[in-house]
Amino acid sequence: MSSSEKKPERHEAPATRVVHAGRAPHDNFGFVNPPVYRGSTVLFPTVEKLWNRDQPYTYGRTCTPTVKALQDAIAEIEGGAACELTASGYQAVSTAILAFVKAGDHILMVDNVYQPTRKFCDYMLAKLGVETTYYDPLIGAGIAELVRPNTRLIFTESPGSQTFEVQDIPAIAKVARERDLWLLMDNTWASPLYFKPFDHGVDVSIQAATKYIVGHADAMLGAITSNARAAKYVAQAKDLLGVNPGSEETYLGGRGLRTLATRLAQHHRSGLEIARWLEGRPEVARVLHPALPSHPQHALWKRDFLGASGLFGVILKPASRDAVAAMLNGLKLFGMGFSWGGYESLVIPFDATSYRTATKWEPEGPALRLHIGLEDVDDLRADLQAGLERLAATK
């Protein structure tokens, strides 16, 4: 069962919608949150109903009331016709792509995509007979020149993983419509609140709900939201692949969703404040934050996005590995670990040189990816300042 039934249109502000979407307290004895349904077997009252699958829920893998509540909420908030949940953001990516391709097809994949997505294309899709061409994230309408007779879909991610280029999604969407291609987007950075993919021509929006929707670094979850024409293909792929999220993880995603607007506003403010401060530091060559006027695609971001999250990149001036280690190892508030989107601040060093093929990654010095969490911004700034001073003092 998918969340594709037509819902009454709502006109509340986003902060109100994230609180109320997908909830029906009076269907659950007045309890505010949808309960956790754990289970596999669902009983039918008569054999006739079993033969006809004539009830809302038929098996735990296909859907439960807990899952449906969150699917309905995300679909409503993001503006899609239907949402399907998966066990991780990466599973959402792979399921969404597999929904539309077959052996002999060709896809266009943005060059700055999340690394596991690239690996999925290079290994799994290649084994299945699907060819991938990587394209410059700044190509815009020029992507038309890469379309082949067997091209099936275009995959976008904006801003791009780690290097934060902003794509011209409407220009790419125009090409996709004219060539009858599916347009998919990884929309995790902006969340359903700060970029509206269906208003810009996207067919399928993918969220690593592990990040901002869950929001507390305590659950893995993915979401695939589709427009009306794409929804049936995604639902079929989810069913055939046996994809389903865990009951507890789904509940945690629903709980996190209720505070998304409040948390994301704070991530936006704190992230931008730290990014502006870093631009003035002598150890920093440049800051990769789309909401900064210095970002090369700032005008695109300002045109299409409704806000910024807490994730951005920093290019340091030339420094040794020992200097970078001195900076990072002494940080007290920034943890070093993968993922992002939780309440906690994180930092990782990265080098995109080896996983860019259509474009070159040529930074001035070492690169860091920062996630600015919900801590006091003055404390975070002091932690980074001490780290940058250690960097400058180490040869």
Side-chain angles (χ1 to χ4, degrees):
M1 178 178 177
S2 74
S3 55
S4 58
E5 304 97 52
K6 182 68 174 175
K7 312 294 187 311
E9 189 174 356
R10 301 175 64 127
H11 301 284
E12 295 96 342
T16 301
R17 297 176 78 178
V18 297
V19 171
H20 291 278
R23 292 198 303 115
H26 297 294
D27 292 345
N28 297 301
F29 306 99
F31 284 94
V32 170
N33 292 305
V36 180
Y37 282 79
R38 306 176 184 88
S40 53
T41 299
V42 181
L43 299 181
F44 294 81
T46 66
V47 71
E48 289 80 12
K49 283 188 173 291
L50 186 149
W51 281 336
N52 296 321
R53 303 294 192 268
D54 183 21
Q55 62 184 35
Y57 305 98
T58 58
Y59 188 55
R61 173 173 53 77
T62 57
C63 198
T64 70
T66 312
V67 170
K68 185 177 186 299
L70 184 53
Q71 289 182 161
D72 286 352
I74 293 174
E76 179 182 328
I77 293 163
E78 198 156 29
C83 174
E84 304 288 351
L85 294 181
T86 67
S88 70
Y90 178 46
Q91 194 175 70
V93 167
S94 59
T95 300
I97 293 174
L98 289 172
F100 299 102
V101 298
K102 64 183 184 305
D105 282 346
H106 169 252
I107 71 170
L108 293 170
M109 176 62 65
V110 65
D111 199 34
N112 59 359
V113 74
Y114 176 56
Q115 280 190 75
T117 301
R118 179 182 283 270
K119 291 179 180 177
F120 174 75
C121 294
D122 291 347
Y123 295 96
M124 186 59 70
L125 284 188
K127 285 174 62 176
L128 297 175
V130 177
E131 185 181 357
T132 301
T133 295
Y134 293 96
Y135 66 89
D136 185 338
L138 305 184
I139 197 170
I143 201 167
E145 298 177 10
L146 301 180
V147 175
R148 303 177 187 174
N150 63 333
T151 302
R152 182 72 168 162
L153 65 82
I154 302 171
F155 195 103
T156 63
E157 181 177 324
S158 184
S161 281
Q162 298 187 335
T163 50
F164 298 96
E165 297 90 346
V166 178
Q167 295 190 255
D168 191 339
I169 299 296
I172 295 172
K174 184 174 185 293
V175 173
R177 285 194 304 272
E178 291 171 350
R179 303 299 182 92
D180 195 24
L181 306 176
W182 298 103
L183 181 59
L184 280 60
M185 180 178 181
D186 187 327
N187 191 36
T188 304
W189 183 87
S191 89
L193 294 184
Y194 285 173
F195 185 83
K196 297 298 183 183
F198 304 105
D199 291 347
H200 296 289
V202 173
D203 294 302
V204 177
S205 174
I206 299 159
Q207 300 279 337
T210 304
K211 275 60 171 185
Y212 285 117
I213 290 175
V214 168
H216 293 76
D218 55 3
M220 303 289 290
L221 200 65
I224 312 168
T225 308
S226 307
N227 62 16
R229 79 182 189 110
K232 63 181 179 180
Y233 298 100
V234 173
Q236 182 184 54
K238 177 186 175 179
D239 183 53
L240 293 175
L241 291 168
V243 169
N244 67 298
S247 302
E248 303 293 335
E249 289 80 4
T250 301
Y251 178 83
L252 290 171
R255 185 189 67 173
L257 185 70
R258 305 309 169 192
T259 61
L260 176 61
T262 302
R263 288 185 287 106
L264 206 58
Q266 186 61 51
H267 287 298
H268 172 113
R269 287 192 296 269
S270 296
L272 198 49
E273 186 172 340
I274 293 291
R276 288 171 177 150
W277 173 75
L278 284 168
E279 276 198 310
R281 290 293 305 187
E283 305 89 351
V284 172
R286 55 192 166 107
V287 178
L288 310 176
H289 193 308
L292 291 176
S294 59
H295 189 281
Q297 293 89 53
H298 175 69
L300 282 179
W301 175 84
K302 192 172 182 180
R303 183 192 72 185
D304 295 342
F305 286 76
L306 302 173
S309 67
L311 190 76
F312 62 93
V314 177
I315 309 300
L316 301 172
K317 291 179 180 176
S320 69
R321 284 176 66 91
D322 287 344
V324 173
M327 174 188 176
L328 299 183
N329 286 336
L331 292 173
K332 300 185 184 325
L333 299 179
F334 284 82
M336 287 182 284
F338 299 107
S339 197
W340 41 274
Y343 56 83
E344 76 286 8
S345 292
L346 297 170
V347 60
I348 59 168
F350 73 91
D351 182 359
T353 303
S354 64
Y355 43 90
R356 297 291 283 265
T357 54
T359 53
K360 285 187 176 181
W361 171 245
E362 296 178 318
E364 297 89 330
L368 305 175
R369 188 185 73 184
L370 298 177
H371 178 254
I372 305 303
L374 302 179
E375 302 93 338
D376 183 87
V377 73
D378 289 334
D379 291 335
L380 294 177
R381 183 164 37 224
D383 197 26
L384 288 172
Q385 179 170 332
L388 290 168
E389 289 171 355
R390 289 191 299 274
L391 175 93
T394 307
K395 300 300 182 184

